[in-house]
Amino acid sequence: MEFRPCIDIHNGRVKQIVGSSLKDAGDTAEENFVAEKDAAFYANLYRSKKIKNGHIIMLNPPGSEYYEATKSQAMKALSAYPLGLQIGGGITPENASRYLDAGASHVIVTSYVFRDGYIHFENLNKLVKETGREKLVLDLSCRIKDGDYYIVTDRWQKYTDVILKEETLDMLSDYCDEFLIHAVDVEGKASGIEKELVRMLGNWNKIPITYAGGIHSFEDLRLIKELGKERIHATIGSALDLFGGKMKLEEVIDYIEQ
């Protein structure tokens, strides 16, 4: 188990938002925290702490008036911590190499592959051909529907027909180096983790998985260690002191390394 840091960028600012509130129309979101510091500040901090494999998420789509400002922040973070951070948000075969050349260790992909309710294997194969499996992270962010966790896309608003289960992980692990999994229903709410999701992920052990969503206490970290069998990495957003929360970064690092 590792701590995986995050830098979420929306409208050109580092923020923590309620994930399910994100809307492309008007570039709106319910905000938990808006940073005074830029993305490079956080990248330099993570570099100084030797925390690797965190992720930058660009939350504005390419058509947004804020996209270039958000992208500029992301590029500064990559420059500050070469090969220390992954990046996601609008990744396609046409731009993936640009981010890798700028210093990203991996690119993170959701909507280019999961769209209109389906897995687009043609697109997935194009990405793998462009980046190599070893540079690709698939974001399998999910929400509960009818008792199952379904992969969601389009700012986490649209359900695909793909249920996140061990068979799904088996199939998709052939195409990527890691999975990033946001539990969207609790993302940004600091209300506790999705225990059954973490338990399922912990029972599967083929490639690395980072879990995000609802972590707000050291009891949550203990549950991830226990239910995830120390196999599942964790990222903390709104509950971390860097983003206005009560969990101190140093204590989180120490706890996970125990």
Side-chain angles (χ1 to χ4, degrees), residues 105-156:
S105 66
H106 298 71
V107 291
I108 305 167
V109 179
T110 307
S111 294
Y112 183 76
V113 171
F114 301 95
R115 195 171 60 213
D116 304 321
Y118 303 99
I119 301 176
H120 290 254
F121 282 100
E122 180 180 355
N123 288 356
L124 181 54
N125 282 310
K126 286 180 183 178
L127 273 166
V128 174
K129 184 177 180 179
E130 178 64 27
T131 67
R133 174 185 177 275
E134 69 280 359
K135 294 289 186 179
L136 185 61
V137 175
L138 288 180
D139 182 341
L140 307 184
S141 296
C142 59
R143 304 183 76 170
I144 294 176
K145 184 174 73 170
D146 301 327
D148 289 312
Y149 290 97
Y150 282 81
I151 296 173
V152 291
T153 65
D154 300 279
R155 308 294 167 235
W156 299 334

Side-chain angles (χ1 to χ4, degrees), residues 4-218:
R4 300 285 183 88
C6 63
I7 303 174
D8 294 344
I9 308 171
H10 182 244
N11 295 358
R13 302 283 298 276
V14 176
K15 295 182 182 180
Q16 285 295 310
I17 68 168
V18 176
S20 58
S21 73
L22 185 63
K23 300 288 191 300
D24 286 349
D27 295 295
T28 61
E30 183 180 337
E31 298 170 346
N32 289 327
F33 178 84
V34 181
E36 295 296 325
K37 305 290 188 181
D38 66 5
F41 168 84
Y42 291 97
N44 278 312
L45 176 63
Y46 300 150
R47 183 177 185 177
S48 72
K49 302 292 184 185
K50 296 181 172 59
I51 312 170
K52 294 185 176 182
N53 301 309
H55 52 273
I56 302 166
I57 302 296
M58 299 182 289
L59 293 171
N60 294 103
S64 164
E65 64 177 297
Y66 296 100
Y67 176 73
E68 289 301 325
T70 291
K71 178 182 168 184
S72 176
Q73 284 289 310
M75 288 298 205
K76 289 176 182 177
L78 293 178
S79 178
Y81 194 2
L83 300 181
L85 296 165
Q86 307 166 359
I87 189 167
I91 303 296
T92 66
E94 289 72 32
N95 64 25
S97 293
R98 190 182 316 153
Y99 294 110
L100 294 172
D101 291 343
S105 66
H106 298 71
V107 291
I108 305 167
V109 179
T110 307
S111 294
Y112 183 76
V113 171
F114 301 95
R115 195 171 60 213
D116 304 321
Y118 303 99
I119 301 176
H120 290 254
F121 282 100
E122 180 180 355
N123 288 356
L124 181 54
N125 282 310
K126 286 180 183 178
L127 273 166
V128 174
K129 184 177 180 179
E130 178 64 27
T131 67
R133 174 185 177 275
E134 69 280 359
K135 294 289 186 179
L136 185 61
V137 175
L138 288 180
D139 182 341
L140 307 184
S141 296
C142 59
R143 304 183 76 170
I144 294 176
K145 184 174 73 170
D146 301 327
D148 289 312
Y149 290 97
Y150 282 81
I151 296 173
V152 291
T153 65
D154 300 279
R155 308 294 167 235
W156 299 334
Q157 304 301 311
K158 182 180 291 185
Y159 287 88
T160 68
D161 65 350
V162 184
I163 296 174
L164 185 58
K165 53 188 178 180
E166 291 192 33
E167 291 84 352
T168 309
L169 298 174
D170 284 338
M171 174 181 61
L172 294 174
S173 64
D174 290 336
Y175 296 90
C176 64
D177 195 47
E178 297 188 6
F179 293 125
L180 172 62
I181 298 179
H182 292 86
V184 175
D185 289 319
V186 294
E187 173 73 15
K189 297 181 179 179
S191 57
I193 65 171
E194 291 278 14
K195 298 183 186 67
E196 291 308 311
L197 176 59
V198 173
R199 191 191 312 274
M200 184 272 289
L201 298 175
N203 287 332
W204 187 86
N205 185 32
K206 294 189 178 178
I207 64 173
I209 295 175
T210 298
Y211 169 88
I215 301 173
H216 76 306
S217 68
F218 286 93

